[in-house]
Amino acid sequence: MKFKTVGLFVIIAVCMVLTFATAPHSAHAATLDSFTVTNIIIGSQCSDYSMTFDYTFTAQVAEYSGTDLVGYTVVDGNGVAVAASWQGFYPGGSYTDTRSFGPGDIINNFTARPLIFTFYDITTNPPAGQNNQAIFDAIVNQNAPVLATFTHDPAVASSYCASLPFIQPASSTSLATDGRINPDAGAPFVAYVVNNGLHVYYPQGNLRLVVSAEEIAAVGCPTSGAALIAQGNGVSVYRLADCSFQMQSASLNGEKIYILQFASLTDRTYRSVEVKP
């Protein structure tokens, strides 16, 4: 996948591909090939910030009126909806779509940095138009596989946005001394590797879910998307196409989804994030 920047406008590719889901998905063959910010208008205050961007999408599966669908959402650092839209493309080719958001064409003004762009391989068409809450909800509620996620800090281009708080997603590459995979303060579950499987506990210490080595082996590594290994007591465990693992559940306050990804059962370098459903 190609990532481009124009002038001073920095686009950072998030290393993990997050699947915002609480249920298993079928695999889809769609790909997002590139994402480019083409224009930014700064104005005289942060609420004047306007962005235009292109994304190139390779369509492979006819899902709606003979087209393959892709949808995207933009949220700010607090998870507040900023923008959303979708498009359908005919299978067998790559297409570039140009989209934008800004004053008068935005769901909510952003309240924190950075802006997070998430592209989904959706299967049902949302309402027509762009940048309204109905479209945003229709895309997110499909629980579709995520094609790619990008992060953009508006303060890089506009000093007017520098006063907004920057909220860094929780992540770590170290392990707690008791061997847990995710030593995150406030995590809704704690995961351990046990006998080549996974034991998942509530923060209070009660066992929440057991995933056996046999269950993991039976799923293997999917060729694309995310394959459900096991779920129970509100926790879902997936294997991703790069053979890494993803676990998720509702956050402690129930308002967000906590997502944990780690490389393997032996290399438990991990990343975690909480997102609004």
Side-chain angles (χ1 to χ4, degrees):
M1 182 182 296
K2 298 179 290 183
F3 311 107
K4 300 181 181 179
T5 61
V6 177
L8 296 175
F9 314 136
V10 179
I11 301 298
I12 305 170
V14 175
C15 295
M16 60 182 177
V17 177
L18 304 180
T19 305
F20 300 97
T22 55
H25 308 298
S26 58
H28 297 264
T31 59
L32 187 75
D33 303 316
S34 66
F35 175 80
T36 306
V37 176
T38 58
N39 188 48
I40 289 177
I41 298 175
I42 296 173
S44 59
Q45 55 189 350
C46 190
S47 59
D48 291 334
Y49 200 88
S50 177
M51 173 186 285
T52 302
F53 57 92
D54 294 341
Y55 64 93
T56 301
F57 173 78
T58 298
Q60 300 187 39
V61 179
E63 296 161 335
Y64 170 71
S65 296
T67 63
D68 199 355
L69 302 178
V70 60
Y72 71 84
T73 61
V74 184
V75 300
D76 70 7
N78 285 322
V80 174
V82 172
S85 192
W86 63 282
Q87 186 57 273
F89 303 93
Y90 290 104
S94 295
Y95 305 86
T96 298
D97 190 29
T98 299
R99 295 288 168 166
S100 63
F101 62 85
D105 187 23
I106 195 169
I107 301 174
N108 296 289
N109 289 328
F110 30 97
T111 61
R113 303 153 38 222
L115 300 179
I116 302 170
F117 295 71
T118 305
F119 288 81
Y120 300 88
D121 187 10
I122 60 176
T123 57
T124 303
N125 61 303
Q130 71 171 17
N131 301 339
N132 63 60
Q133 191 67 50
I135 295 174
F136 182 95
D137 292 342
I139 293 172
V140 172
N141 290 338
Q142 289 190 41
N143 290 330
V146 171
L147 298 174
T149 304
F150 304 93
T151 303
H152 172 78
D153 185 355
V156 173
S158 172
S159 60
Y160 299 114
C161 296
S163 61
L164 294 178
F166 187 92
I167 300 176
Q168 179 68 45
S171 64
S172 175
T173 57
S174 64
L175 299 177
T177 55
D178 67 352
R180 67 184 63 190
I181 297 171
N182 57 324
D184 291 330
F189 61 79
V190 179
Y192 297 85
V193 175
V194 179
N195 296 327
N196 295 317
L198 294 165
H199 285 194
V200 186
Y201 291 82
Y202 289 97
Q204 298 84 355
N206 297 324
L207 188 63
R208 188 169 181 177
L209 178 66
V210 173
V211 183
S212 68
E214 291 75 18
E215 289 176 300
I216 294 173
V219 170
C221 298
T223 56
S224 64
L228 181 71
I229 300 173
Q231 60 183 357
N233 291 320
V235 177
S236 298
V237 182
Y238 297 90
R239 198 78 180 269
L240 305 183
D242 62 357
C243 289
S244 64
F245 291 84
Q246 178 168 303
M247 304 173 66
Q248 58 197 58
S249 76
S251 62
L252 286 178
N253 62 12
E255 296 179 355
K256 296 183 178 181
I257 297 174
Y258 172 83
I259 301 174
L260 166 69
Q261 287 191 333
F262 54 97
S264 71
L265 297 179
T266 54
D267 176 9
R268 298 194 295 274
T269 300
Y270 86 98
R271 294 183 64 88
S272 62
V273 67
E274 288 189 352
V275 298
K276 284 194 173 182

